[in-house]
């Protein structure tokens, strides 16, 4: 079981680092900028989670996360020469995989450290969305979590499903897979069909005709 979580965490690190590197390519950052953006995307959410839980920060305890991030960033630079030619949807899909994996793995870690279910769901959601939020802020882009798109909602629902199934004593492996797939499919469906939440909008009286 520990081995499965390890590989899910590594895969999530790779896809989030990839999404950060691709974003850096779109904004023509230098190699150092690519690595920085890949790193904050991949480890930002988990770092905040571990600090809140007063747990050892995962990438300080295990330096292989940093090696995975650097390798992913460098391979992206070497093999993807024209990031602007990559469809925006590819970046969103890579981000969706990272969101699903990190939201559920983050919830699992919070529960394993004794966090109550509501707190674990919040911490899982933070794990999934905070890295991408930092990435977007650094690129001067409105973060996905603050737009109309179903993003944090998908992470929260997946985290809630994992927490509830765990509470009811369901098989841990199946619970992990079900929660990850639920989050991923919700996010992919929102991307494909452009499903979004209604926007909050205050009309300016001076501009009313």
């Amino acid at each position: 079981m520990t081995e499965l979580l390890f590989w899910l965490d590594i895969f999530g690190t790779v896809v989030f680092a990839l999404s950060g590197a691709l974003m850096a390519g779109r904004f023509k950052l230098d190699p150092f900028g690519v690595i920085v953006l890949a790193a904050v995307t991949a480890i930002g959410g988990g770092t905040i989670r571990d600090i809140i839980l007063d747990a050892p920060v995962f990438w300080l305890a295990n330096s292989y996360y940093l090696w995975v991030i650097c390798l992913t960033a460098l391979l992206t630079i070497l093999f993807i020469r024209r990031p602007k030619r990559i469809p925006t949807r590819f970046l969103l899909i890579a981000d969706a995989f990272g969101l699903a994996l990190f939201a559920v793995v983050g919830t699992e870690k919070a529960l394993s450290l004794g966090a109550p279910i509501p707190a674990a769901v919040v911490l899982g959601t933070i794990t999934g969305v905070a890295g991408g939020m930092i990435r977007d802020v650094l690129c001067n882009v409105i973060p996905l979590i603050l737009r109309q798109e179903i993003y944090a909602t998908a992470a929260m629902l997946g985290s809630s499903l994992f927490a509830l199934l765990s509470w009811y004593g369901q098989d841990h492996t199946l619970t992990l897979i079900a929660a990850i797939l639920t989050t991923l499919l919700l996010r992919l469906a929102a991307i494909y069909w452009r499903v979004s939440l209604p926007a909050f909008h205050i009309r300016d009286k001076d501009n009313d005709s």
Side-chain angles (χ1 to χ4, degrees):
M1 191 60 244
T2 303
E3 186 176 353
L4 174 61
L5 282 172
F6 169 78
W7 288 112
L8 287 174
D9 213 18
I10 290 296
F11 184 63
T13 301
V14 170
V15 292
F16 255 162
L18 175 62
S19 73
L22 290 175
M23 180 73 86
R26 287 182 175 275
F27 286 88
K28 299 180 180 180
L29 302 188
D30 63 18
F32 178 75
V34 175
I35 293 173
V36 169
L37 215 58
V40 297
T41 308
I43 65 177
T47 301
I48 295 172
R49 174 203 63 212
D50 289 349
I51 291 172
I52 293 174
L53 287 170
D54 197 24
V57 177
F58 68 102
W59 57 271
L60 292 177
N62 301 288
S63 60
Y64 51 73
Y65 285 101
L66 298 179
W67 289 110
V68 168
I69 291 167
C70 290
L71 182 61
T72 302
L74 292 175
L75 288 175
T76 304
I77 293 170
L78 289 174
F79 292 105
I80 302 179
R81 298 292 186 181
R82 297 178 181 271
K84 285 192 173 181
R85 292 193 174 186
I86 298 174
T88 302
R89 186 163 289 187
F90 181 81
L91 174 60
L92 293 175
I93 290 172
D95 190 83
F97 275 92
L99 176 74
L101 289 162
F102 275 9
V104 176
V105 170
T107 305
E108 197 278 340
K109 183 170 185 178
L111 289 172
S112 70
L113 292 175
I117 286 179
V121 171
V122 172
L123 288 170
T125 303
I126 289 172
T127 307
V129 306
M133 188 173 183
I134 297 169
R135 173 200 65 206
D136 293 346
V137 169
L138 289 175
C139 291
N140 199 27
V141 175
I142 297 176
L144 283 171
I145 190 176
L146 301 180
R147 302 183 206 169
Q148 297 170 256
E149 297 182 37
I150 294 178
Y151 189 77
T153 306
M156 190 171 294
L157 289 174
S159 297
S160 299
L161 178 63
F162 177 81
L164 290 174
L165 290 177
S166 297
W167 186 66
Y168 279 111
Q170 300 301 311
D171 180 81
H172 202 218
T173 302
L174 292 178
T175 297
L176 268 173
I177 294 172
I180 290 170
L181 287 177
T182 297
T183 308
L184 178 62
L185 292 175
L186 283 171
R187 180 64 188 133
L188 291 179
I191 294 170
Y192 185 79
W193 284 295
R194 298 182 181 179
V195 180
S196 62
L197 299 174
F200 176 63
H201 175 64
I202 298 177
R203 298 182 65 182
D204 189 346
K205 187 176 180 180
D206 295 336
N207 293 329
D208 290 345
S209 55

